[in-house]
Amino acid sequence: MMRKDMQMKTLNFSYFPTTTLLLDDNQFFLRGLALNLSSLSSEVLTVSYADPIRALAAIKNEFKPTSFLYRALHDTDLGDRLMIEEVYRPERFQEVSVALVDYLMPPMSGIEFCEKINELPIRAVIMTGNANLAPINKAIEAGVVDQMILKNEPRFLELLLKTIKLGKEEYFEKLTQDFIKHHSLQMEPWFNDPEFLKVFETLLKRQDLVEYYVVDHRGQILLFDHHGHARLLLVTTETALKNFSQYLASSGLHPSASTMSAII
């Protein structure tokens, strides 16, 4: 079941373009699928495999201790210098958030493949044109497979795009919750505030921002647009903002009203 409401529920510690893994032993179908997805959305990055053994080795390799998200999960504070170094490493985009897997493949089925990546925070989706759906439904009930999409579905590509977006959202939500739990963090109220999240989502869309990182959970967020241009968002309370304005004035600095209003 796909979540209808895609509105942000909480702020994630990081969010950036990730990769969707395509796995199908039909090379013709595989090439066509990758081409169609990339032509329909510039935000969809894919990597294709016709061999499940090779795909499994590749996907496991992305979750080694040197990956950005693994380090972010286990380090309470990456530090400003290290954070800047990390966010300019293109390898972070190779993190796989969604796997679109064919049902029938040699030497292992799609369900068997999904079982082997079940411990990873990846949305596992079975694509099938097979008439016998019972094994897939059973795997979904068992939590091995997250979703099934029929290849002959008239809205096949549309459903895949929605699934990729949903999987990416779930991916960062899961990692954020694991981070908070792992470090027993007490988050600021705005982190889950619906009004702030609505404003933040609007900001992302208007400024064409596709990537962000919470540098400091007390209120500093580093953002990037499609061209890699960086912005820093400072989140604070009205009282703190007034104190900051008074501090600047006492220091001989007089920020304009537009500058101050840009700070949330």
Side-chain angles (χ1 to χ4, degrees):
M1 175 75 100
M2 290 188 62
R3 190 173 65 196
K4 293 183 180 180
D5 183 6
M6 293 295 291
Q7 185 175 342
M8 191 179 291
K9 302 298 183 184
T10 184
L11 189 68
N12 297 315
F13 273 108
S14 63
Y15 188 87
F16 51 82
T18 56
T19 294
T20 296
L21 182 136
L22 309 178
L23 175 58
D24 198 302
D25 61 328
N26 185 328
Q27 294 271 14
F28 180 78
F29 173 82
L30 196 61
R31 286 194 295 269
L33 180 60
L35 182 62
N36 283 324
L37 289 175
S38 61
S39 64
L40 289 171
S41 175
S42 60
E43 295 183 10
V44 175
L45 307 176
T46 63
V47 59
S48 302
Y49 289 92
D51 181 355
I53 302 299
R54 289 186 59 202
L56 186 62
I59 206 170
K60 294 274 189 176
N61 191 49
E62 293 305 323
F63 288 86
K64 53 186 180 293
T66 56
S67 72
F68 173 81
L69 292 176
Y70 183 96
R71 295 175 68 185
L73 179 60
H74 291 81
D75 294 341
T76 305
D77 184 5
L78 286 174
D80 293 341
R81 183 186 61 81
L82 183 56
M83 173 66 79
I84 296 300
E85 290 177 358
E86 288 291 315
V87 300
Y88 279 105
R89 290 177 63 245
E91 291 84 358
R92 67 193 182 283
F93 299 147
Q94 296 173 8
E95 302 273 358
V96 175
S97 58
V98 179
L100 304 179
V101 184
D102 184 33
Y103 176 40
L104 294 176
M105 300 175 295
M108 72 173 70
S109 71
I111 292 176
E112 290 173 321
F113 181 88
C114 292
E115 285 177 338
K116 294 182 182 298
I117 65 169
N118 192 243
E119 78 280 4
L120 299 176
I122 295 172
R123 186 168 185 83
V125 181
I126 292 288
M127 305 179 294
T128 183
N130 193 282
N132 183 15
L133 305 181
I136 305 176
N137 286 324
K138 186 177 179 180
I140 291 175
E141 292 175 2
V144 173
V145 174
D146 294 299
Q147 186 182 349
M148 170 179 59
I149 298 180
L150 300 179
K151 289 183 176 179
N152 58 2
E153 160 67 47
R155 299 183 301 121
F156 178 64
L157 290 174
E158 179 186 342
L159 289 175
L160 289 184
L161 289 175
K162 289 182 178 179
T163 295
I164 290 170
K165 180 175 175 57
L166 173 62
K168 183 179 176 182
E169 298 285 348
E170 291 178 336
Y171 181 70
F172 288 107
E173 286 174 8
K174 171 98 170 42
L175 290 166
T176 295
Q177 293 308 311
D178 287 347
F179 184 93
I180 292 173
K181 183 178 180 181
H182 184 79
H183 295 293
S184 302
L185 295 179
Q186 184 65 41
M187 305 310 300
E188 295 292 334
W190 56 265
F191 214 79
N192 299 305
D193 182 78
E195 290 303 313
F196 167 74
L197 295 175
K198 187 184 297 184
V199 171
F200 187 71
E201 281 192 294
T202 300
L203 175 68
L204 295 180
K205 292 176 183 177
R206 288 181 177 176
Q207 300 292 327
D208 193 28
L209 301 168
V210 297
E211 186 175 0
Y212 69 80
Y213 304 86
V214 178
V215 180
D216 181 339
H217 68 269
R218 289 180 294 274
Q220 296 185 61
I221 305 174
L222 185 62
L223 310 102
F224 293 88
D225 62 18
H226 271 292
H227 304 289
H229 299 149
R231 294 171 175 80
L232 183 64
L233 174 66
L234 303 178
V235 185
T236 187
T237 63
E238 185 176 358
T239 299
L241 186 60
K242 288 181 179 178
N243 292 338
F244 181 61
S245 179
Q246 291 172 359
Y247 168 76
L248 291 178
S250 67
S251 301
L253 301 173
H254 301 281
S256 65
S258 59
T259 300
M260 296 306 294
S261 65
I263 304 177
I264 299 177

